[in-house]
Amino acid sequence: MGTVEDFRGELIQPGDPSYDEYRKVWNGSIDRRPGVIARCTGVADIRSALAYARRTGGPVAVRGGGHSFPGHSTCDGGIVLDLSLLKGIRVDPVRRTARAQAGVLLGELDRETQEYGLATPAGIVTHTGLAGLTLGGGIGWLMRKYGLTIDNLLSVDVVTAEGELLTASADTNAELFWGIRGGGGNFGVVTEFEFQLHPVGPTVYAGIVAWPMEQSPEVLRFYRDWIADVPDELTTAVVHRCLPSLPTIPSELHARPAVVVVVSYSGSVENGERVVAPLKAFAPPMLDLCTPRPFLSLQSMLDPTFPHGRWYYTRACDVDELTDEVIDIAVERGLAIDSPYSLFPIFHLGGAIARMDPDSTAYGGRSHGHAFNFVGATLGPDGFDAQREWVRESSRALEPHQAGVYVNFLTDEGSDRIRAAYGATTYDRLQALKQKYDPGNLFHLNQNIPPN
Ligand SMILES: Cc1cc2nc3c(=O)[nH]c(=O)nc-3n(C[C@H](O)[C@H](O)[C@H](O)COP(=O)(O)OP(=O)(O)OC[C@H]3O[C@@H](n4cnc5c(N)ncnc54)[C@H](O)[C@@H]3O)c2cc1C
């Protein structure tokens, strides 16, 4: 599309029968109308689409899995570089590495790597895009043992704003590689990722344990003390929510407000049972679905909670510790949930994440203890304003306790929040990198780091 003739993929424009399908993103509250959706088939198409964007001057949105909370992978007018056709995955079971292209979703990578009893740490919902998740950091059920997704990234291929194809790794274009690990899509279009894999599963000890929402104060206080010295194999999150209406949950508990601990133990099942036993014993849970299960089943367990097309609004922040004050706020915000679809996870960080040198990547939250993410959701516009207000109020309540914020959990909140996600020193270093690789800020539909 440098000219239309040299584009091998599909070009979808307003009026085309599939336009409405392809302009959709995961968050149903985002309704934008791109000038053209360029479904790229490879690097040549990406370069061609970028040449077109440079020539026409319109906005460029880059789409991996389309899961950006604020909808950064679509735009009004301009061009969407839709990378969802780029599905190649190659696992090397001997070197324990995998190469994955930019349109791969998390579940697709797990499916291939688990074939060899391997995995790389990524996120908690299988239909999330590997590209966007990785570029911001990547937290998930293996993180305390094996680190963030970026801590397992070995190299990337990236097309810059000028259309140059580069490889970045610890040895080649090292500063770009540093920035890409946390700096989002600010520096170019990543076409392919190479990851380190680890032996995981195929069976892990994992699942959910739940108590009635009213027991949130005692559950959170027990949880805080319990996780203080658990091994890195254990990654958990506490979620305040109404239990979903799923066949795995007894029908009398459907829609019941609950405080839920999601458990993932990535060592042996026997050790997992032993480590998790105190959680199950301290107060009888109303639901216990924490059992030996395939790793793939853990990875898809929360998929029904986050379907495509609902209206979502989110606000997040990290805290250093679950102090009594933070717990009181969590309890109060849990009790204030009045939608069957709204919820908030509190992820336990630390472990391998905290052991990496903070300057080794651009990710900003290595020393933080926990990540909150308030998610307000409705089936459509009805009631959305009230859920958004619950999210905003929750975020305001935690403000005095914030340690920072995970960049992939930001919505559109302005430059101060982006700076807060990285910290001043990292932000300045990212800005210098942006000046080098994208001085015209072609890639600005993201958590943007302007060149100056
Ligand atoms: C249901 C759900 C579950 C989630 N769970 C987790 C989780 O467990 N852990 C976690 O860390 N995060 C999680 N997130 C947040 C997630 O990491 C971000 O929303 C991420 O941006 C999604 O990536 P994507 O490719 O699907 O998004 P997209 O909307 O396609 O892209 C997001 C951003 O990344 C840029 N981008 C995408 N692909 C490329 C590329 N190839 N090159 C350059 N830039 C690119 C886009 O321009 C955009 O700015 C979740 C989000 C959702 C909606």
Side-chain angles (χ1 to χ4, degrees):
M1 319 191 15
T3 62
V4 170
E5 294 74 36
D6 70 3
F7 195 81
R8 188 160 63 94
E10 215 179 334
L11 293 173
I12 298 170
Q13 287 168 311
D16 288 351
S18 55
Y19 178 73
D20 280 335
E21 191 52 37
Y22 285 116
R23 74 185 181 86
K24 276 187 202 153
V25 288
W26 168 81
N27 185 347
S29 77
I30 309 291
D31 181 20
R32 299 197 183 125
R33 306 188 67 83
V36 57
I37 301 164
R39 306 200 69 216
C40 302
T41 57
V43 169
D45 278 354
I46 291 168
R47 295 177 64 168
S48 173
L50 289 177
Y52 171 86
R54 286 194 305 271
R55 205 179 63 243
T56 55
V60 182
V62 181
R63 184 181 306 167
H67 276 43
S68 152
F69 291 119
H72 283 154
S73 48
T74 184
C75 47
D76 282 320
I79 178 167
V80 170
L81 266 71
D82 177 346
L83 306 177
S84 62
L85 293 173
L86 302 178
K87 290 289 191 193
I89 299 173
R90 181 176 190 279
V91 177
D92 181 336
V94 177
R95 286 178 61 229
R96 292 187 174 164
T97 59
R99 296 190 70 86
Q101 289 185 315
V104 166
L105 306 181
L106 302 188
E108 295 163 346
L109 181 60
D110 281 338
R111 172 74 181 82
E112 292 298 325
T113 58
Q114 275 291 280
E115 198 67 10
Y116 304 96
L118 300 171
T120 204
I124 64 165
V125 172
T126 63
H127 49 72
T128 312
L130 180 68
L133 177 130
T134 301
L135 295 172
I139 69 171
W141 299 133
L142 301 177
M143 65 183 159
R144 285 174 36 82
K145 174 70 177 165
Y146 297 117
L148 302 166
T149 311
I150 48 169
D151 300 342
N152 295 277
L153 190 60
L154 299 174
S155 71
V156 289
D157 288 348
V158 53
V159 178
T160 65
E162 283 304 313
E164 195 182 358
L165 176 65
L166 300 175
T167 293
S169 69
D171 305 320
T172 310
N173 296 308
E175 184 67 3
L176 178 61
F177 190 53
W178 168 83
I180 273 178
R181 287 176 294 162
N186 272 286
F187 310 108
V189 180
V190 175
T191 60
E192 196 161 312
F193 300 81
E194 183 188 15
F195 294 102
Q196 186 67 60
L197 306 175
H198 307 275
V200 175
T203 303
V204 292
Y205 190 68
I208 64 164
V209 189
W211 294 262
M213 182 74 88
E214 309 81 77
Q215 283 179 254
S216 163
E218 59 185 293
V219 172
L220 282 172
R221 283 184 170 75
F222 170 83
Y223 175 81
R224 171 183 58 192
D225 298 343
W226 174 59
I227 57 169
D229 59 0
V230 290
D232 291 349
E233 281 78 6
L234 186 74
T235 298
T236 53
V238 182
V239 186
H240 291 72
R241 62 172 301 167
C242 297
L243 291 175
S245 305
L246 294 174
T248 44
I249 295 178
S251 56
E252 67 274 16
L253 295 181
H254 290 177
R256 177 85 190 261
V259 53
V260 179
V261 178
V262 187
V263 170
S264 159
Y265 189 85
S266 55
S268 74
V269 166
E270 298 71 37
N271 284 347
E273 274 166 349
R274 192 174 41 75
V275 168
V276 177
L279 175 75
K280 296 185 174 192
F282 96 95
M286 71 175 170
L287 181 68
D288 177 2
L289 298 177
C290 183
T291 60
R293 63 172 72 228
F295 177 67
L296 291 178
S297 131
L298 163 68
Q299 292 292 77
S300 61
M301 191 172 68
L302 295 180
D303 286 5
T305 294
F306 300 101
H308 293 82
R310 280 187 193 159
W311 284 38
Y312 297 95
Y313 184 79
T314 64
R315 281 284 170 107
C317 80
D318 291 355
V319 299
D320 284 330
E321 286 177 53
L322 293 180
T323 60
D324 284 343
E325 292 83 357
V326 169
I327 286 180
D328 289 347
I329 293 165
V331 169
E332 190 266 319
R333 297 323 296 162
L335 289 168
I337 291 174
D338 66 355
S339 155
Y341 313 114
S342 295
L343 56 94
F344 64 98
I346 312 169
F347 294 95
H348 182 206
L349 305 172
I353 300 173
R355 280 196 296 276
M356 283 280 285
D357 173 1
D359 294 332
S360 60
T361 69
Y363 177 81
R366 294 214 178 259
S367 63
H368 302 163
H370 302 268
F372 277 74
N373 193 8
F374 295 99
V375 181
T378 52
L379 294 179
D382 281 356
F384 189 60
D385 288 350
Q387 294 314 307
R388 190 166 43 200
E389 199 38 46
W390 169 77
V391 170
R392 286 182 173 154
E393 226 170 280
S394 304
S395 163
R396 273 195 297 271
L398 266 186
E399 224 165 73
H401 305 280
Q402 296 208 21
V405 60
Y406 171 32
V407 73
N408 269 355
F409 284 175
L410 280 174
T411 185
D412 276 330
E413 298 170 54
S415 56
D416 285 353
R417 289 280 285 162
I418 299 171
R419 190 178 266 273
Y422 293 112
T425 310
T426 298
Y427 186 87
D428 291 348
R429 189 171 162 190
L430 286 169
Q431 215 165 23
L433 199 62
K434 181 77 169 178
Q435 181 65 42
K436 178 169 179 191
Y437 285 101
D438 185 17
N441 209 0
L442 183 70
F443 303 115
H444 64 272
L445 294 177
N446 43 38
Q447 298 298 346
N448 194 230
I449 297 159
N452 44 49

